[in-house]
Amino acid sequence: MITKKFKKLLNRWVKDDDKIILDFLEETSEKIKIARYYKKGIMKDYEQIILYYLNHGVSIDEILNRLNLEKLNSFYQYKRINDWYPLDHAAKSYPLAMSAKWMSIFRVSMYLNERVIPKVLQMALNFTIKRFPYFATAVRYGFFWHYIDGIKRRFKVEKEESVPCGYMDVAHGIHASFRVLYYKNRISVEFFHILTDGSGALIFLETLAGEYLRLMGKEITREVGFFDIHEEAQETEFENYFPKTDKSSGKASFVEKPSLQIEGTRTLVQPSQIINFEMNFNELKTKCKEHGATVSVMILTMMFFAVKATIKKQKIKDDSTIQIQVPVNMRKYYPTRTLKNFSMVAGIRIRYHDINNFDEVLKEVDNQLKIRNTKEELDKIMTKTNLLIDRLKYVPLFLKSLVMPFIYPNVEKSYATCFSNLGVIKVRKSMESYVDKYDCVLGTLVLNNAAVSMNTYKDKSILSINKAIKENTFEETILKHLIDLGVNVDIYGSKER
Amino acid sequence: MKIEDIGMYPEYKKKAFDIVLLKKIILYFFLITSLITLIVNLAIGGKMWFLYVIGGQAVFWFVFMSDAMVESGILRKVVQIAIVVSLFLFLVDQMAGNSGWAINVVIPIICFSAVIALSIIFFIQFKRRLTNILYFYVYLILGLFSMLLGFVGVIKISWPWIVLASCSLASLILTIVLYRGQIIHEFKKKFHMR
């Protein structure tokens, strides 16, 4: 499997010691027992990274240390028979709702202080994926539900060339439900939502970046609370925690009132634009505190005004409302380590005609968030989800697939947009100095015309808006409110389409 | 929003060929032509020949255009094509006076050819195709079911039907004999309710 070209180049770099490396590669090749095509790919990854190291003056001992054979573990051996997983309750709807043009995808990105080296990132992914066997899977069609099945292949990193959160081909048996992308100093991971939520994605990205930095020769240490690629994956990391949740609070109603929507002209390619507002976290927090609000409450309030500003043609009745959904990480209420989806949504709903005075809306958002973002309220929604899944479990999947594409847009009608705040992101202490910032982009929805997410890393807070429309009113209104608040905002993003 | 700093995102390349758009155009074209033929047929009267047009378009759609979003594969495609073509031929025969050439000869020949093709693909690429076993088994069971239809007199038992049932039964037995364990395990996944 070792190419002649590599042997020739190796001989040029290390005349006498090439045998050590060739023996190492032979040993590696024996350890990889996957389809020939993928094995060839992994061996090529080894060749490329070795040449990169030699080119940068890394000693042979150090190369062998960084590419230690134990990194491969038994992951690239033959497929394990029990390597399949049912979907969690939240994930069950995603493959049912997907269409030829839309699927639920989100991305988390980490910006390093230096440019990403693709061949090193590729090797980091080769090593990291074994710690996440649950992600090394493909979606399958069952008789009652979809499920995910383990696949043995080389997972490839790709240069970012397309729209963020673009369509992911999961139709063929060997295609994974995530992709790793790089662009300049950014490493992005995009997930089809059936695999995980923001928390799981952040853990994967942190682990991948940690391994990348270690392969780059940085001193990255193991730390409690962070994943170590040498550990075996635990079963608790891919348990479906939904059925274990508390049912004593009762259930939420199945029917929700429709919400007014963000208006605008949808572009042919989705999303139309990604806009990032970068702010100083301490400044933002202080300014919000001056108004007696948290950052989330403040941004949500601005969003209500932004949604209202876009509404021109919709019929406004006296009781017309705008609802914004706020995903809540349920791990704060339940002691689980699951990487699967485990979040619920708190809906904040305000009457259209009541969105006039900023301070009053701020107070209302704060009140509602305090009520909705409680374990009892979220348990009610969880119980509703569990009940729905229980009732549907005997219905064959082909029937569910026929109905769901019509139901899903109606679910989206009940809210105008969503705001996901990933909070303060932490990385291992030894990694901190190499990471500049994070951002998170929610994929466009079927009906909703914008989605907003936020995260904070060290002193940088980034608000990302993913829009599906040409018009700028929504983001301009938020920006205007941020400036009025007295916060300095750096704006960057993708080109308008 | 006009953004000065667009350097953090690549200049996106426009796709040269948008298959989703093409499918949409073809679908609308089919819907319009179906509607026109229906109106013309009703206006001039006579046999319901517009069904030929709709049937032909349906065959074209399922053979060339439609694809599954999850677990698409050759086994699924062969099953889909065999069923759609059989239905179309049945329609043509019915429309042309129901002489029975479709149901007694052509359809069972198509079906047993499909069973043979499916079996060859399944056995040669067993590891890869095991995940599509539901399509394969459903088709084999339909093949066996045809015998039942013959016994109750819905269809006339002829040599192609006998070949179809035999091929289906043989394939079914062979898969069970050769890969019982793996197939049971695959069925546990396919029929899970968790």
Side-chain angles (χ1 to χ4, degrees):
Chain A
M1 281 267 167
I2 306 165
T3 59
K4 278 180 190 166
K5 194 180 164 194
F6 174 74
K7 282 181 184 167
K8 218 183 255 179
L9 285 167
L10 186 69
N11 193 258
R12 202 180 296 164
W13 280 106
V14 276
K15 276 213 164 61
D16 309 319
D17 292 336
D18 62 343
K19 200 176 172 315
I20 303 172
I21 286 180
L22 291 175
D23 284 349
F24 166 76
L25 285 179
E26 284 297 342
E27 211 181 320
T28 308
S29 174
E30 273 167 35
K31 255 198 135 178
I32 302 170
K33 286 172 179 142
I34 53 173
R36 198 178 157 78
Y37 172 77
Y38 296 121
K39 181 173 177 171
K40 228 171 159 181
I42 294 182
M43 292 313 294
K44 204 165 179 198
D45 296 338
Y46 269 99
E47 291 178 2
Q48 288 195 331
I49 199 168
I50 288 170
L51 291 176
Y52 171 81
Y53 283 151
L54 291 172
N55 204 6
H56 286 77
V58 182
S59 70
I60 291 179
D61 284 347
E62 181 59 20
I63 293 174
L64 297 183
N65 178 37
R66 285 189 202 173
L67 303 177
N68 191 332
L69 258 182
E70 278 174 25
K71 301 262 173 216
L72 288 179
N73 206 341
S74 60
F75 180 77
Y76 294 102
Q77 308 277 335
Y78 291 113
K79 186 175 150 84
R80 282 174 293 174
I81 192 119
N82 278 324
D83 197 11
W84 74 279
Y85 313 84
L87 299 181
D88 61 77
H89 282 16
K92 283 185 163 71
S93 67
Y94 295 121
L96 285 170
M98 70 193 267
S99 66
K101 268 213 124 159
W102 179 85
M103 64 199 292
S104 183
I105 290 179
F106 69 96
R107 93 144 68 170
V108 286
S109 307
M110 178 192 273
Y111 293 72
L112 299 176
N113 286 326
E114 52 190 47
R115 231 180 155 89
V116 176
I117 310 294
K119 40 195 117 175
V120 182
L121 183 63
Q122 177 63 62
M123 195 48 89
L125 179 61
N126 291 347
F127 289 157
T128 308
I129 193 66
K130 70 168 192 292
R131 179 63 187 81
F132 298 86
Y134 170 68
F135 291 165
T137 49
V139 194
R140 300 270 191 259
Y141 205 85
F143 191 77
F144 296 106
W145 295 111
H146 289 97
Y147 62 97
I148 49 174
D149 204 4
I151 46 173
K152 287 281 173 272
R153 58 166 291 176
R154 166 183 177 257
F155 295 88
K156 200 178 160 200
V157 303
E158 296 161 67
K159 188 173 183 210
E160 191 178 331
E161 284 176 332
S162 179
V163 284
C165 304
Y167 199 83
M168 199 180 274
D169 180 8
V170 293
H172 301 95
I174 205 78
H175 287 177
S177 309
F178 74 97
R179 54 181 162 228
V180 175
L181 305 162
Y182 62 90
Y183 188 71
K184 292 184 180 174
N185 61 334
R186 179 176 59 219
I187 302 172
S188 305
V189 192
E190 293 186 355
F191 279 97
F192 182 21
H193 228 315
I194 60 157
L195 276 192
T196 186
D197 56 14
S199 300
L202 284 174
I203 292 172
F204 179 73
L205 180 59
E206 200 271 349
T207 315
L208 174 70
E211 184 56 18
Y212 169 80
L213 291 168
R214 197 198 60 78
L215 286 174
M216 288 297 290
K218 318 286 187 208
E219 206 45 62
I220 305 296
T221 52
R222 296 178 185 184
E223 258 178 59
V224 181
F226 295 94
F227 274 46
D228 176 10
I229 63 160
H230 298 284
E231 290 170 347
E232 279 287 316
Q234 307 292 311
E235 242 175 71
T236 50
E237 287 164 14
F238 27 89
E239 71 175 330
N240 176 11
Y241 211 82
F242 278 76
K244 293 184 181 174
T245 51
D246 189 1
K247 292 161 190 78
S248 60
S249 309
K251 68 169 175 66
S253 161
F254 278 101
V255 189
E256 275 209 82
K257 228 177 116 177
S259 162
L260 293 167
Q261 296 294 321
I262 296 170
E263 279 180 28
T265 324
R266 281 222 161 197
T267 51
L268 198 63
V269 183
Q270 297 290 327
S272 68
Q273 195 179 19
I274 307 291
I275 304 143
N276 294 314
F277 295 155
E278 188 176 315
M279 296 161 280
N280 181 288
F281 174 60
N282 294 322
E283 187 186 38
L284 179 67
K285 203 176 158 188
T286 313
K287 297 284 179 191
C288 292
K289 254 190 183 162
E290 284 170 14
H291 285 75
T294 61
V295 172
S296 288
V297 170
M298 181 60 77
I299 301 292
L300 272 166
T301 309
M302 292 173 182
M303 283 173 68
F304 272 104
F305 280 90
V307 175
K308 188 178 178 180
T310 66
I311 296 169
K312 302 266 169 357
K313 295 175 194 158
Q314 286 168 87
K315 203 175 167 191
I316 315 284
K317 292 181 201 156
D318 191 47
D319 61 345
S320 294
T321 54
I322 294 171
Q323 178 170 231
I324 299 178
Q325 285 208 327
V326 185
V328 181
N329 186 356
M330 292 303 286
R331 291 166 187 86
K332 67 178 179 183
Y333 297 119
Y334 290 98
T336 174
R337 292 187 70 211
T338 187
L339 291 172
K340 286 190 173 184
N341 287 288
F342 195 50
S343 44
M344 274 290 115
V345 280
I348 312 295
R349 192 181 280 273
I350 297 180
R351 242 181 94 229
Y352 175 87
H353 294 292
D354 290 341
I355 304 170
N356 296 312
N357 181 297
F358 194 88
D359 288 328
E360 277 173 21
V361 176
L362 191 80
K363 217 181 261 173
E364 180 59 26
V365 171
D366 190 30
N367 282 339
Q368 283 199 33
L369 201 61
K370 273 179 189 151
I371 296 166
R372 306 259 187 271
N373 190 2
T374 55
K375 185 176 170 294
E376 288 70 34
E377 282 300 310
L378 294 162
D379 276 346
K380 281 183 191 171
I381 308 172
M382 193 86 84
T383 309
K384 175 179 87 172
T385 311
N386 289 338
L387 249 162
L388 194 68
I389 298 294
D390 255 11
R391 283 179 191 171
L392 289 174
K393 75 176 173 190
Y394 299 109
V395 180
L397 189 56
F398 72 91
L399 287 179
K400 286 185 261 206
S401 302
L402 284 176
V403 178
M404 195 62 176
F406 298 101
I407 295 176
Y408 197 77
N410 284 315
V411 176
E412 264 187 38
K413 264 185 195 164
S414 67
Y415 54 97
T417 178
C418 58
F419 172 61
S420 174
N421 190 351
L422 291 179
V424 179
I425 297 170
K426 289 199 169 88
V427 299
R428 275 168 272 190
K429 277 253 159 4
S430 51
M431 268 174 74
E432 275 178 358
S433 57
Y434 306 109
V435 181
D436 179 33
K437 60 191 174 194
Y438 270 88
D439 76 29
C440 168
V441 179
L442 302 177
T444 349
L445 297 165
V446 183
L447 195 74
N448 299 160
N449 284 329
V452 182
S453 58
M454 191 176 186
N455 75 84
T456 301
Y457 176 71
K458 287 201 246 180
D459 61 341
K460 285 179 183 169
S461 286
I462 302 193
L463 184 84
S464 303
I465 301 170
N466 176 357
K467 35 175 230 162
I469 49 174
K470 281 181 191 163
E471 291 76 1
N472 305 323
T473 318
F474 181 74
E475 63 273 22
E476 279 175 359
T477 311
I478 294 178
L479 180 64
K480 182 189 155 290
H481 282 290
L482 284 170
I483 293 166
D484 288 349
L485 190 66
V487 182
N488 288 307
V489 185
D490 280 339
I491 307 164
Y492 61 92
S494 65
K495 213 172 157 183
E496 267 183 300
R497 255 178 306 192
Chain B
M1 184 176 218
K2 192 90 188 144
I3 293 170
E4 298 303 322
D5 182 7
I6 53 164
M8 266 331 289
Y9 288 89
E11 188 69 49
Y12 301 119
K13 291 168 201 156
K14 248 190 176 174
K15 268 195 269 178
F17 184 69
D18 189 346
I19 185 76
V20 180
L21 187 67
L22 177 77
K23 281 183 181 181
K24 228 178 193 174
I25 293 168
I26 290 174
L27 190 65
Y28 282 127
F29 174 74
F30 281 176
L31 287 174
I32 292 165
T33 48
S34 299
L35 200 69
I36 292 170
T37 47
L38 170 70
I39 293 166
V40 173
N41 194 180
L42 289 176
I44 61 173
K47 260 201 318 194
M48 289 197 290
W49 52 264
F50 78 94
L51 288 174
Y52 289 129
V53 181
I54 294 176
Q57 287 176 343
V59 170
F60 179 87
W61 182 261
F62 283 108
V63 173
F64 298 109
M65 293 284 117
S66 112
D67 200 3
M69 276 177 291
V70 173
E71 239 181 57
S72 74
I74 191 152
L75 288 188
R76 187 182 190 281
K77 200 76 199 173
V78 171
V79 170
Q80 195 180 30
I81 292 172
I83 291 174
V84 172
V85 170
S86 299
L87 287 174
F88 180 62
L89 291 175
F90 180 71
L91 173 85
V92 172
D93 188 16
Q94 290 294 309
M95 299 279 296
N98 195 12
S99 60
W101 58 265
I103 195 78
N104 293 327
V105 185
V106 185
I107 292 175
I109 288 175
I110 288 173
C111 291
F112 79 67
S113 309
V115 166
I116 292 168
L118 289 169
S119 305
I120 290 171
I121 298 164
F122 187 77
F123 288 114
I124 287 178
Q125 301 183 318
F126 174 72
K127 269 188 187 166
R128 206 169 145 197
R129 303 294 168 198
L130 181 60
T131 185
N132 302 123
I133 194 162
L134 275 187
Y135 303 113
F136 184 44
Y137 266 33
V138 165
Y139 200 71
L140 294 185
I141 289 162
L142 280 178
L144 288 171
F145 186 67
S146 65
M147 271 288 104
L148 199 72
L149 292 180
F151 288 132
V152 294
V154 176
I155 55 168
K156 203 172 93 188
I157 297 180
S158 53
W159 70 266
W161 283 114
I162 295 169
V163 175
L164 169 64
S166 315
C167 286
S168 301
L169 188 65
S171 287
L172 201 65
I173 292 170
L174 206 59
T175 54
I176 294 167
V177 169
L178 291 177
Y179 306 113
R180 202 169 134 250
Q182 280 137 299
I183 288 171
I184 289 172
H185 180 71
E186 198 61 27
F187 267 64
K188 275 183 194 162
K189 293 191 223 171
K190 294 285 178 199
F191 286 92
H192 84 275
M193 283 187 164
R194 283 184 279 158

